[in-house]
Amino acid sequence: MRRFAVFVGRRVAAGVATWLALILLTFVLYWALPATPAFILYPTRDHLTDYQIAHANQLFGLDRPKIVQYGDFLWRLAHGDIGRAWNGSVLVHNDRLVQQPLGPVVYPALRQTLAIIIGGAALVLLLAIPLGSLAGTRIGSRVDRLISTSTLVGICTHPMVLGNLLFLYVGIEWRWIPVGGYCPIHRSATDFCGGPTQWASHLVLPWLTFALIFLALYTRMIRASVSDTLHEDFVRTARAKGAGELRVLRSHVLPSAGLRVLTMVGMEIGTAVGVCIYVEYAFGIHGIASDAVNAMGGATSQIDLPYTLAIVTLISAIVLIGNLVVDLLYAVLDPRTTRETRRTKSVVAGVF
């Protein structure tokens, strides 16, 4: 127990250090970009004076030392404040600056993105485990060839194309389930829809699109793992003791194959966030994708640096927390990971 606690403490400390390093790197790029809030505060963007640029930088605190700005951001981040957007900020009388907090805008979008990723990942595993196990126990058969060929369709199709096809045919042409938009799981007085049923029905197609993209990769990985594990000595020993094929597969083969799948899950979290951007646009969901476009200029063609910094901070947190959870699950399934040695099977340890 003590060894596991030390292992968890080290992983958490390494994850926090990595997150702070990523924020610092983003700040370095933040300062290098030729962007100024003066373009947003003053309507005469093509004829900005040096005074207007300096005045805007002063109002937004960009004239302070860089280390002070970095420390101020970390202090506000520790209190749940991820910054103030340039877009939407206005000057009122007496040069008082009114800024738009990013929390009420970004946090709801983050919840929608996480709903797609978590639900889609669960659907991937629900489909890939039985399909991969079936193909892995029948290598070279018609069932194996059919599963391997069918799952390649998802990985060979662009997420936008796959999402639009499901949107047009399943949602509009056949009208099986609702398409487009997002319904919160807890309905408030200002929401047009909500509740667990409507929340799930609006996310069925995004989940399916997300799952089909990753299905081929995980199915083939489980297929290969099951096929290799079936020839291990401990599997032959279990069969010699009289264990049936179903019990051998459930109790011996799949747990061993699950470690490889868990490793791949940790490696693919960042890719999942990128894929989720296409899924959101295909189904009109306001998630991190919409916020990223708005932060990088959107219709105004002006980069909102605090907005960009907030998006990068949250996405990096998702990736690091996801990898940390995978790393801890790996330690639970394979206690050898927590031993006092430099060698580890965890991919996340290499990332940290």
Side-chain angles (χ1 to χ4, degrees):
M1 188 64 183
R2 180 178 176 275
R3 180 183 299 171
F4 183 77
V6 172
F7 175 82
V8 172
R10 288 182 175 179
R11 289 293 180 266
V12 172
V16 173
T18 303
W19 191 42
L20 295 177
L22 289 172
I23 295 175
L24 179 60
L25 178 61
T26 307
F27 251 90
V28 173
L29 300 176
Y30 177 107
W31 293 319
L33 289 175
T36 173
F39 288 102
I40 297 169
L41 288 184
Y42 300 105
T44 57
R45 298 178 180 177
D46 297 331
H47 303 87
L48 287 176
T49 64
D50 293 338
Y51 169 78
Q52 288 175 324
I53 295 176
H55 185 224
N57 290 341
Q58 181 184 10
L59 289 174
F60 283 92
L62 300 181
D63 59 338
R64 296 181 300 168
K66 302 298 188 295
I67 189 65
V68 174
Q69 296 181 45
Y70 180 66
D72 181 61
F73 176 79
L74 293 182
W75 174 259
R76 288 187 282 105
L77 185 64
H79 291 80
D81 184 0
I82 57 175
R84 300 287 191 273
W86 288 354
N87 287 309
S89 300
V90 294
L91 282 173
V92 296
H93 57 83
N94 297 327
D95 282 346
R96 186 168 63 89
L97 182 65
V98 178
Q99 295 179 270
Q100 176 188 2
L102 285 171
V105 177
V106 176
Y107 288 144
L110 178 63
R111 287 195 293 268
Q112 297 181 29
T113 299
L114 289 177
I116 296 175
I117 293 176
I118 295 174
L123 185 58
V124 169
L125 296 179
L126 287 175
L127 295 175
I129 291 175
L131 290 176
S133 301
L134 184 62
T137 55
R138 293 168 173 81
I139 296 294
S141 65
R142 292 182 179 180
V143 174
D144 177 33
R145 291 195 294 270
L146 177 62
I147 293 175
S148 300
T149 304
S150 301
T151 52
L152 283 176
V153 176
I155 201 172
C156 294
T157 307
H158 193 276
M160 283 294 294
V161 175
L162 186 59
N164 286 328
L165 288 175
L166 292 174
F167 181 91
L168 290 174
Y169 287 98
V170 179
I172 295 179
E173 186 70 22
W174 300 334
R175 299 181 181 180
W176 287 353
I177 51 179
V179 294
Y182 177 84
C183 287
I185 194 169
H186 298 293
R187 185 173 184 176
S188 64
T190 59
D191 295 324
F192 292 101
C193 61
T197 301
Q198 292 185 331
W199 171 80
S201 63
H202 279 77
L203 286 174
V204 167
L205 289 183
W207 286 339
L208 184 59
T209 304
F210 184 95
L212 289 177
I213 295 169
F214 291 96
L215 184 59
L217 175 64
Y218 284 90
T219 300
R220 294 174 71 87
M221 183 192 309
I222 294 173
R223 170 185 177 272
S225 299
V226 168
S227 177
D228 292 342
T229 309
L230 284 174
H231 299 90
E232 295 288 344
D233 292 337
F234 67 89
V235 174
R236 287 195 290 265
T237 301
R239 286 172 174 165
K241 291 181 177 180
E245 288 299 317
L246 183 60
R247 182 179 178 182
V248 168
L249 183 66
R250 183 184 66 249
S251 303
H252 300 281
V253 177
L254 286 180
S256 178
L259 294 177
R260 302 184 187 181
V261 175
L262 194 59
T263 300
M264 183 58 68
V265 169
M267 296 174 62
E268 293 291 330
I269 293 176
T271 305
V273 176
V275 168
C276 196
I277 292 177
Y278 297 105
V279 177
E280 290 171 12
Y281 269 100
F283 295 98
I285 297 176
H286 181 86
I288 291 295
S290 302
D291 282 350
V293 172
N294 294 333
M296 296 305 294
T300 64
S301 300
Q302 298 297 331
I303 299 177
D304 191 332
L305 291 181
Y307 208 164
T308 305
L309 180 61
I311 296 297
V312 172
T313 300
L314 291 179
I315 290 179
S316 61
I318 292 174
V319 175
L320 288 173
I321 292 174
N323 276 274
L324 178 61
V325 171
V326 169
D327 210 25
L328 297 180
L329 288 176
Y330 204 111
V332 172
L333 296 176
D334 187 1
R336 293 173 296 178
T337 308
T338 62
R339 290 178 181 175
E340 298 293 336
T341 176
R342 294 180 179 271
R343 183 177 180 272
T344 176
K345 292 184 178 181
S346 175
V347 172
V348 183
V351 175
F352 284 164

